[in-house]
Amino acid sequence: MKLAHYAFGEENRDNGTIVIVHGLFGQARNWTAIARRLAEKYHVVTADLRNHGRSDWDMEMTYPAMAADLAELIRDVSDKPVHLVGHSMGGKASMVLSLSADAGLVADLVVVDIAPVSYDHDYSGYISAMRGVDFTAVSRRAEVEDALSSGVSDKGVRQFLAQNVTTDKDSGVMSWQVNIDAMAEHLGDIIGWPEGDLTAAQYDGDVLFISGANSHYVDPKDRTHIKSLFPKAAFTSIKGAGHWVHAEKPDAVLLTLSAFLKR
């Protein structure tokens, strides 16, 4: 699948190309501010994963499928291995790519607030709330946020989910830009980890795991497992940040990324 993407900075930079991918319910544009800063020294590409943003929809929503999409994108945007950065679901897709037969496309890897493990998070409440929005009764994004409030108590999460609303230019009718049906069908895959689908035992490149200090997605007890897959893995945390590290502490994430990339 061809992924919709945005490019920043000049191509063929000596420092190479950075490809950045978002998490579940996210979009490429969530990384725009950081991408623009990185583009002062790198060619940067931010991508919408399948069933998100401007990318096409497909009912298959597994990590091997997403990793294959990323491999195709990387071949399209760079003739050399890229610096790959992935947050949450995008981080898992990036890790699966680095553990596949296409690992040579990845020069090094940054994984933001996720680990190569299965979680017990339940996003079905979010999906039910999104399915419950009556778009014939709303005309503004704020009204969508209000409609989500019956199933999503956190205002920040409602605002984040409502970013996935698009408006038809001709009719003015709003709708979801994300494929909720595919996500609902593959929630188990999304919160899981496809151990049996990995074709490589290890990725031997440099890897940095960036976590939010207030997040629990990367548990220290999982570091032995992480090191078994990524022997050169290093770990750091951003103070005052939760799971959406790049949105909460963009300057700290930018400094951390820059230090890793220019090592």
Side-chain angles (χ1 to χ4, degrees):
M1 177 181 291
K2 295 283 187 181
L3 298 181
H5 58 278
Y6 304 82
F8 305 83
E10 300 172 9
E11 295 184 24
N12 302 315
R13 288 275 182 86
D14 290 341
N15 292 327
T17 297
I18 303 172
V19 173
I20 305 176
V21 287
H22 59 81
L24 183 64
F25 303 119
Q27 297 182 50
R29 66 185 184 184
N30 298 147
W31 283 85
T32 297
I34 290 175
R36 284 178 174 157
R37 296 281 297 279
L38 289 169
E40 295 171 9
K41 296 182 179 180
Y42 301 86
H43 178 226
V44 184
V45 175
T46 60
D48 288 328
L49 293 172
R50 60 171 54 201
N51 298 315
H52 289 75
R54 296 186 300 117
S55 286
D56 289 339
W57 287 13
D58 191 286
M59 283 306 295
E60 185 176 6
M61 192 71 184
T62 64
Y63 286 115
M66 286 185 268
D69 294 343
L70 284 177
E72 183 174 5
L73 173 69
I74 291 170
R75 291 190 180 99
D76 286 344
V77 301
S78 178
D79 57 4
K80 298 177 181 178
V82 302
H83 310 290
L84 185 57
V85 180
H87 171 244
S88 198
M89 182 183 74
K92 280 191 172 181
S94 299
M95 286 188 282
V96 170
L97 174 59
S98 72
L99 293 166
S100 76
D102 289 317
L105 297 171
V106 183
D108 48 37
L109 178 64
V110 178
V111 181
V112 184
D113 212 63
I114 202 71
V117 299
S118 295
Y119 293 87
D120 58 4
H121 303 134
D122 184 6
Y123 296 110
S124 58
Y126 294 172
I127 287 176
S128 295
M130 293 170 77
R131 279 177 163 166
V133 175
D134 180 3
F135 282 107
T136 65
V138 297
S139 59
R140 296 183 298 114
R141 187 170 292 177
E143 294 173 336
V144 176
E145 293 176 21
D146 290 341
L148 289 168
S149 61
S150 60
V152 183
S153 59
D154 188 284
K155 181 179 180 180
V157 174
R158 293 198 300 270
Q159 291 174 334
F160 174 68
L161 294 176
Q163 290 180 7
N164 290 291
V165 170
T166 186
T167 303
D168 184 84
K169 292 181 179 179
D170 296 323
S171 68
V173 175
M174 305 177 84
S175 62
W176 291 114
Q177 200 173 23
V178 290
N179 187 347
I180 298 174
D181 290 340
M183 294 173 183
E185 184 170 319
H186 288 281
L187 273 181
D189 294 305
I190 292 168
I191 66 172
W193 174 249
E195 196 79 50
D197 293 316
L198 304 179
T199 58
Q202 291 183 337
Y203 171 71
D204 292 325
D206 292 332
V207 183
L208 177 64
F209 284 79
I210 301 176
S211 303
N214 298 333
S215 173
H216 303 290
Y217 276 72
V218 184
D219 195 310
K221 70 178 176 59
D222 292 322
R223 289 192 179 184
T224 299
H225 171 62
I226 292 172
K227 283 281 193 178
S228 72
L229 297 174
F230 306 100
K232 295 182 180 178
F235 302 87
T236 189
S237 63
I238 305 295
K239 291 182 179 179
H243 182 55
W244 286 283
V245 194
H246 55 293
E248 297 169 26
K249 297 291 180 179
D251 290 340
V253 170
L254 179 65
L255 286 172
T256 304
L257 279 174
S258 298
F260 173 75
L261 293 170
K262 70 179 182 182
R263 67 201 181 285

